[in-house]
Amino acid sequence: MTSVDTITSRPWLDHELPVAERVELLLGEMTLEEKVGLFFHTMIGMGELTEPNAVFSTPSAVDYVERRHMTHFNLIGGAPTGREIAEWHNALQRLAASTRLGIPVTLSTDPRHSFTDNPGTAMLSGPFSQWPEPLGLAAIRDEETVERFADIARQEYVAVGLRVALHPQVDLATEPRWSRQVATFGEDAELTGRLGAAYVRGFQGASFGPGSVSTMTKHFPGGGPQKDGEDPHFAHGREQVYPGDAFELHLKPFEELIAAGTRQMMPYYGMPVGTSYEEVGFGFNKSVITGLLRERLGFDGVVCTDWGLLTDAEIFGQPFPARAWGVEHLTPRERMKKVLDAGADQFGGEACPELLIELVQSGEIGEERLDRSARRILREKFELGLFESALVDAEAADAVVGRDDFRAAGEWAQRASITLLTNGGEGAPLLPLRDGATLYVEGIDPSRAEAYGRAVASPEEADVIVVRLQAPYEERPTVFESLFHSGSLEFPAEVVEHVRELASHAPTVVDVYADRPAILEPIVEAATAVTVNWGASAEALLDVLTGRFAPRGRLPFDLPRSMAAVEASRPDVPFDTAEPLFRFGDGLGY
């Protein structure tokens, strides 16, 4: 409870005052350095607050909070339990409370509830309930399920102090090769808008306030139309192209989420080519952030750039240049000015307040420009209730994070998202599998298959063979880039041949983790039955294969017939590959 003496010395803590008045009271007390600290939203790892984080190569929390006056952090990594995360969060908040103005920290996170293996875009679920990727939620095609997921994730986030979701991702997956589509709701603008709005409702609640998690929708104005399907994390993927003149289509989901009340927005790294917009990365792009997002669409929430637009970094021990596409020739200081001139409020993944201080002191950026963004940023902290309740109940965190009913809901969604594409020949379905069948499995621990039949050691002994595969991708020169699954969608010849060889021994089921729309034609020809998933445990798959859970998933995108069809398609136009093998909405049942 805030004391009268505290309110007298810090009147912005009086929660009975309107938020706008509280913002002005605090802003009037802030030094230039304290205002500047609000603009930097960078990564932080768990550990001792006084020590640099060796794992993630980041400075200490004390350095960030006390010296750089920063109060926004993206938590990378985690801990085995919710309580450990909550305790670390509370220690960080106590550090922030000890500063001159006691401005609380806002802690954000990439998605934490699915099966990803790319730490550059999401986190493994750890102690949290585990769900399919958003593509899997799209396969279920149910707004109530998406809102239920988001509400559960909200409760788990709030329990450990995470108050900003660096998601949802409502880019349209119109380029089949693009590596980031696994975190989208697929290829269809209408479905993406509906599900994305449900996601926002679940995270933010019926009204935005102390129990909410603020959603940072990305990647404005749509990151799907990537030239050759390459990703703009990397220089060779910096261009977004619109040969089908479909720029406006990609805006539709963002319009739906703005209407649903999303609080924050993240522009993508890519630069538009061949449009009426300036050919610079979207985070530097005044015609997009101010002209399109602010003025045309009326968005007045926080705009935070994607991570690392200003300064070079090192990732996995290798140099990684700033994603300053179209403005590579500018210095970090000049890039910073261009981002602010474009209309953004925060620099994602950056921690260089000294550059912004220089810009203000030199007169290149007016302090009134800082105040405009600072008001948006502070408003968010006040409305989230952080000034009243920055600390969380660490002892209670484990009772919320990974709660039994939350896990059960996630496990149901894993099963519901699995999509059955083929099931034997006409009149001779293989699935559901009969009880007691002998099973040879690959990609599944045989001990987990024992609950569904008798696991055998060789395909020759099996009644049925079950194989789990990953959608194809090309290895790239660096560790970090290889985490982004890019390149050809064709299975290597040796994988296809292996499936054919297995299928010569017994009816074979192939399940593919479809983080990208793999070219399945040779797999379909070889296998007796084919399923796809977007994050599902072995038990979830086997429950579907044995009929304990009837398949109900539907494809959230087309599956192309060939790489030639992919290469001939227009990256901005949905459903544009010729004669796809399977179409959006396909899926069998029994």
Side-chain angles (χ1 to χ4, degrees), residues 225-227 232 235 237-242 268-275 277-285 324-328:
Q226 292 298 140
K227 183 181 179 183
R238 68 182 194 159
E239 296 184 5
Q240 289 192 202
V241 293
Y242 302 86
Y268 206 25
Y269 295 123
M271 54 183 282
V273 175
T275 72
Y277 299 98
E278 186 182 5
E279 291 193 359
V280 297
F282 290 123
F284 301 98
N285 204 311
W325 311 140
V327 295
E328 294 94 334

Side-chain angles (χ1 to χ4, degrees), residues 40 82 88 92 130 137 140 142 153 159 161 198 366 392 423 459 476 519 560 565 587:
F40 296 87
W88 174 85
L92 182 63
Q130 194 168 34
L137 296 176
I140 299 170
D142 177 57
V392 299
N423 187 16
R476 293 297 173 86
I519 293 169

Side-chain angles (χ1 to χ4, degrees), residues 385-448:
L386 291 172
F387 284 89
E388 284 73 51
S389 302
L391 301 182
V392 299
D393 185 344
E395 291 188 7
D398 282 339
V400 176
V401 174
R403 208 169 78 187
D404 286 349
D405 59 323
F406 292 175
R407 290 190 181 277
E411 290 165 2
W412 179 90
Q414 292 174 39
R415 288 158 175 79
S417 65
I418 292 170
T419 303
L420 176 63
L421 295 177
T422 67
N423 187 16
E426 289 207 12
L430 173 64
L431 305 176
L433 299 177
R434 64 177 177 81
D435 289 340
T438 57
L439 302 174
Y440 172 75
V441 295
E442 291 186 0
I444 297 172
D445 186 331
S447 65
R448 298 170 81 175

